[in-house]
Every structure is written in structure tokens, then in C-alpha cells.
Amino acid sequence: MSSPKHPKGLYLIFATSTAERFSYYGMRAIFILFLTQALLFDKEHAASIYGSYTGLVYLTPLIGGYIADKYWGIRRSVFWGAMMMAVGQFLMFASASMLSAVQLSHWLMYIGLTFLILGNGCFKPTVTSLVGQLYKPGDKRLDSAYTIFYMGVNVGSFLAPLVCGYFGETGDPNDFKWGFLIAGIVTVFTVVLFESQKNKYLIGPDGEQLGIIPDAQKGQTLEAQDTCLSETEKNKRKRNFLLLGLLAVVLAAIFYWSFDGDWISVGIFTACIVLPVSILLEGSLTKIERSRIFVIYIIAFFVIFFWAAYEQAGASLTLFASEQTDRTILGWEMPASWIQSFNPFFVVILAAIMPGVWGSLNRRGMEPSSPTKQAIGLLLLSLGYLVICFGVKDVQPGIKVSLIWLTGLYFIHTMGEICLSPIGLSMVNKLTPIRFASLMMGIWYLSNATANKFAGTLSGLYPEPGKVKTLLGYHIETMYDFFMVFVVMSATAALILFLLSKKLQKMMHGVE
């Protein structure tokens, strides 16, 4: 029988992730405003930088996951990841402190973003996969454990825009630096907390210290540990490398033509196909393991559409909050960045409720499968955008709409997120062979990388006076036109995933 109480290590991971997410979301809350109001980039260029940054933040976990699995182990990856993120935040502080030296400020920003991207790549997949290692295989507490973990992520996400936005978004472009500085200090606190408590609390169900030995070494058989490969195996590996190289070249050429030479888009979209294929070519996979990994890939494809619409929060929805939302409450004007706290506030509340809801449905034999829960999440996302479409329909340019419309959107989106994101993390952990634990978590986040870059592209469609923008022949002139893109995209993805749910459940071979 599994104990209903969760291991204490879960709460260390909870606290560490809270601090790290504070750093990320504190910076993100003011980033698009920093680009447009301090560095004076136009909205389309700022959205492109934002999308490239957030896309790469979710791409590098593949590299970080591979390094953790093969060489460093989780603990070392978490430490160096957090250290690089701290350096990145302090470089952003330096960039915002030198606005008069335009070229230097720009270079410091790009170098700072690079450190943040690489650091996040080491930190994110490892600390997430660590949650699953606290429990024995088949432990029924795992879904609720990931929901608790997700609540910790969103405690940091809730506090960060309030604090960093309060000090950074004052109306004076020179004050953005204080938001970045606070984010950097909190990142240093993450390192201190994790390093001082890891030996005491990061202990597995069998009493072993977690995160020291790379996961790939734990999953190896004696034959796999033998470095003397047969000639057949060597030839097979050479063939796989050749196939993957050829696939990468073909895809890179296609995407280079499709995205007008945008190498970041080329890299992200090429990686989102080539790297998952490389796992499927792994000779050690059994038929059942390969089937389960296919489920992860199929759902990850649909998750792209969820996050592409959801991640408008940091870009187009922040611009909408700043320019076209009446944020005055009893004579006080709320900073636009604070609205990014609405979603994590709702997450913290709903994350405390949803495990009980799923548990109640489970006792009645009515709990939806993981694919169905995620289809529900996509449908709720579409509904949230439909709500704000009513709010902006027929509103004349220059007229600000009530804050209630954005509040409603974020509440409905949060319900969708709770149905999709923590369930997805738990599903990946349950379906993945232990030897690929961190790497597969990185591949799951690859869907977020693709979605975030896509989100930046879609944010570039944000209506601007005197411009008519188009998407696949659809003309976008008003906020209503813009938000309808996300209504249709999310609803279509939800419908298709609903239709595939039963087939995907069979492919999971008994994993619930």
C-alpha cells in the first residue's frame, strides 16, 4: 500500500521550482515592455525576439536532458543551470542600466538571454523528472505529486510579476533594471536552497540518494554497458546517423525557405522532428516502449497548438493589457505586467481542487484518460478566447475594454492548463523508460519550444493602425479578428484529439 503522504523531497523540489520560476516569470513579465518601451523596438520585431527567446528556453532542455542523463546527473545539472540563469539575469540588469549606450545595451541583452536559455535547458527537464523518481513505479500518488509540483511552479509565477512589475514597470524605462536585478537575486537563492538541502531530502523510495548517478547508467543492462559493440550494431548506428543527418539537411532547407532565413526558426522546427525520430531509431526500445513513446509524440503535437495560444500571455496579451484594457481600480491604475499574475493565482487555487476532482471521478470509474483530459484543456483554451472576442467585438480603436474580459480569459485558460500540463508531465514520466527519463522530458518540452516560437510569430499579427495583416488568406485588422485565430486553431486541435483519444489509450498498453 502506498502512503497517502508525499515524500519530503517533493516539497524541496516544490520550493526550488517556486524560486526558479519566480526568476523566469519575473523577467518575462516585463520583457516585452522592456523591448518596446526601453529599447524602442517595434511590436513585430519585439514579438519575434520574445518568441525566439521563449522558444529556445524550451529547446535547450533537450541538450540539458541529454547531458544530465549521460554525464552530469540531475544534481549537478540543477546547480549549473541555476548558476547560468543568475548570470543571465545580472546581464539583463546591466543591459537595462546602459540604455544610453544603445549598441552595448543590445549586446548585453542578447548575451544575457543566451545564459538564461542555456541555464534553463540544464535546470528544467532535470528537476521535473526528479519528481517521478521519488515514487515507486505504479504509485497512484504520482498525478497528484505533479499537480503539487505544478502548484509550486505557479506560486513563483504569481509572485514574480507583482514584485518585478512593481519595481520594474514604473513608467520610467530606466527602472526595468530593478525587475531584472530582483530576478537574479532570487535565482541565487534557488542555488543556496537546493545545495543546502539536497542530501537531506532527495531520497528515493528505497532510501538511495537521488540525482547523483546519471539516469542512463541506471537503465543500462550488462550488455548495454559493454563498450565492445558488434559490427552489426556499429553499422546500424552509422546508418541511423546518416539518416538523421540527411533528414536534418532536408528539413533545414525547407524551413529556411519557409521562414525567410530565420535560423532560430530553422533550428527549432528542424530539431522538433529530427530529435524525436532519433529516439525511435534507438535499437534497445521494445515494441511496447516504442508504442508508448509514439503516444507522447502525438499528444506533444497537439500541445503545440495549446501553448502557441496560451503563451500570448507574455506578448500580445500583455500589449493588449497595456494599450487597450482599462486597468483603473478605485482611481489606481494596475501595472500591465501584474495581469500576468492572474493565471498563476488561479492555478494555485485550482491545483488544490483538481486532484480531488480526478480522485472523485476515479472512484466512480469516470475519470477521463490522459489524452481526453488534454483535449478538454484545448477546448477550454478556445472557449477563453471566444469570451474575449465578445468583449472586443465592435469596439472602436482607442476605446479600452473592461478588465473583466481578460480576467475571464485567464480563468478559463487556467482550467484548461490544469487539465493539460501537469497531466502531460505525469504521462511522460509514466510512459518513458527510465534510461531516457530526462531526455524524454526534454523532448516533451520541445513541443513548448515549437509552440513558443510559433506564439511569437502569431503575436506579430497583433493589429496595428494602418496595417492589414494576413494569415493563410485571413485578414486581421481588429482585435476581434486577431483573437478568432486562436478560437478556431484551439477548437480544431481539441476536436481531432478527442477523436484520437481511445486509440491513444490502447497504445499506452495499460498505463493510465
Side-chain angles (χ1 to χ4, degrees):
M1 293 291 289
S2 296
S3 168
K5 294 182 179 180
H6 290 280
K8 292 181 179 179
L10 176 64
Y11 301 102
L12 173 60
I13 298 171
F14 176 104
T16 304
S17 298
T18 298
E20 184 273 330
R21 290 290 87 183
F22 181 102
S23 167
Y24 174 77
Y25 283 101
M27 178 270 188
R28 196 194 77 158
I30 59 176
F31 185 42
I32 195 76
L33 301 175
F34 172 66
L35 293 174
T36 55
Q37 297 176 14
L39 299 185
L40 303 179
F41 293 144
D42 63 53
K43 290 185 178 69
E44 192 164 349
H45 184 47
S48 178
I49 293 173
Y50 175 87
S52 295
Y53 164 65
T54 54
L56 290 171
V57 157
Y58 286 100
L59 176 65
T60 50
L62 274 167
I63 302 170
Y66 179 82
I67 292 171
D69 277 346
K70 293 287 187 180
Y71 306 109
W72 281 5
I74 289 176
R75 295 190 184 195
R76 192 182 301 177
S77 293
V78 169
F79 172 78
W80 286 110
M83 288 298 292
M84 284 189 282
M85 286 188 286
V87 171
Q89 298 287 12
F90 292 134
L91 286 169
M92 293 296 294
F93 167 74
S95 170
S97 301
M98 300 180 182
L99 296 177
S100 58
V102 177
Q103 291 298 322
L104 178 59
S105 179
H106 288 188
W107 275 109
L108 287 170
M109 180 197 70
Y110 288 124
I111 296 170
L113 293 179
T114 300
F115 272 94
L116 287 168
I117 289 164
L118 294 175
N120 205 282
C122 289
F123 188 99
K124 196 172 185 67
T126 49
V127 77
T128 305
S129 65
L130 194 58
V131 174
Q133 297 185 27
L134 292 167
Y135 301 85
K136 292 182 178 180
D139 195 316
K140 296 293 185 182
R141 297 172 296 171
L142 192 58
D143 275 1
S144 63
Y146 270 107
T147 302
I148 292 169
F149 165 76
Y150 206 69
M151 193 182 344
V153 167
N154 282 277
V155 168
S157 307
F158 166 69
L159 295 174
L162 300 180
V163 177
C164 296
Y166 177 80
F167 289 101
E169 189 198 348
T170 64
D172 182 351
N174 293 297
D175 286 340
F176 283 113
K177 62 187 176 186
W178 302 120
F180 297 134
L181 178 62
I182 292 167
I185 292 170
V186 172
T187 308
V188 172
F189 172 75
T190 303
V191 177
V192 174
L193 176 67
F194 185 82
E195 289 298 306
S196 63
Q197 302 298 317
K198 62 184 181 182
N199 291 334
K200 185 176 181 181
Y201 294 115
L202 294 183
I203 300 172
D206 298 325
E208 77 280 11
Q209 290 280 329
L210 295 177
I212 298 174
I213 301 172
D215 287 335
Q217 294 181 19
K218 292 188 288 184
Q220 286 178 331
T221 62
L222 291 175
E223 290 79 13
Q225 289 173 354
D226 186 358
T227 56
C228 298
L229 298 175
S230 68
E231 196 63 33
T232 302
E233 188 66 27
K234 288 179 181 178
N235 290 335
K236 187 175 181 180
R237 288 194 173 190
K238 288 179 182 178
R239 183 203 66 186
N240 289 346
F241 280 126
L242 182 62
L243 287 173
L244 291 170
L246 181 61
L247 179 63
V249 170
V250 171
L251 290 172
I254 293 171
F255 291 134
Y256 184 83
W257 175 77
S258 301
F259 295 104
D260 296 324
D262 179 356
W263 282 106
I264 293 178
S265 294
V266 172
I268 290 174
F269 292 116
T270 300
C272 83
I273 298 175
V274 173
L275 293 171
V277 169
S278 70
I279 295 292
L280 292 176
L281 293 175
E282 171 63 45
S284 67
L285 288 174
T286 66
K287 183 178 180 180
I288 290 178
E289 287 175 340
R290 187 171 280 105
S291 176
R292 289 171 174 169
I293 286 174
F294 263 120
V295 172
I296 296 173
Y297 290 173
I298 292 168
I299 293 180
F301 172 76
F302 289 96
V303 165
I304 290 173
F305 297 100
F306 180 91
W307 291 117
Y310 181 93
E311 285 297 335
Q312 297 302 309
S316 64
L317 289 177
T318 295
L319 294 173
F320 179 75
S322 178
E323 299 173 354
Q324 295 186 249
T325 301
D326 182 1
R327 294 171 279 111
T328 304
I329 302 173
L330 300 176
W332 168 74
E333 187 174 53
M334 177 190 300
S337 55
W338 280 29
I339 294 177
Q340 291 191 47
S341 285
F342 286 13
N343 165 254
F345 172 74
F346 293 139
V347 167
V348 171
I349 295 172
L350 292 172
I353 297 171
M354 288 308 294
V357 173
W358 299 136
S360 177
L361 291 173
N362 181 267
R363 287 190 292 273
R364 292 171 172 79
M366 298 170 60
E367 183 178 6
S369 66
S370 292
T372 303
K373 288 177 184 176
Q374 290 167 313
I376 292 170
L378 273 162
L379 186 60
L380 288 167
L381 188 78
S382 178
L383 180 60
Y385 276 109
L386 186 61
V387 165
I388 205 167
C389 279
F390 286 115
V392 299
K393 187 173 175 58
D394 299 325
V395 172
Q396 297 301 313
I399 303 298
K400 293 188 175 183
V401 302
S402 170
L403 182 59
I404 194 68
W405 297 108
L406 267 180
T407 305
L409 174 142
Y410 277 119
F411 182 75
I412 296 171
H413 281 191
T414 302
M415 290 193 292
E417 181 185 0
I418 291 295
C419 289
L420 182 138
S421 192
I423 302 304
L425 294 175
S426 176
M427 180 195 72
V428 173
N429 186 275
K430 289 186 285 188
L431 292 176
T432 301
I434 185 64
R435 62 191 181 279
F436 297 123
S438 293
L439 183 58
M440 279 302 300
M441 195 62 73
I443 286 180
W444 176 253
Y445 283 125
L446 184 57
S447 65
N448 295 63
T450 308
N452 274 272
K453 183 56 184 172
F454 187 30
T457 301
L458 293 175
S459 291
L461 300 173
Y462 188 89
E464 296 183 69
K467 293 184 179 180
V468 178
K469 301 181 180 181
T470 60
L471 177 67
L472 301 177
Y474 174 68
H475 292 276
I476 300 171
E477 300 181 58
T478 67
M479 293 308 305
Y480 176 82
D481 299 333
F482 179 68
F483 289 133
M484 278 302 298
V485 170
F486 303 103
V487 173
V488 174
M489 181 180 74
S490 305
T492 302
L495 176 61
I496 297 172
L497 186 54
F498 269 123
L499 295 174
L500 291 175
S501 290
K502 287 189 177 180
K503 174 64 176 177
L504 292 174
Q505 197 171 359
K506 290 180 181 178
M507 293 171 63
M508 292 164 71
H509 294 279
V511 174
E512 298 180 358

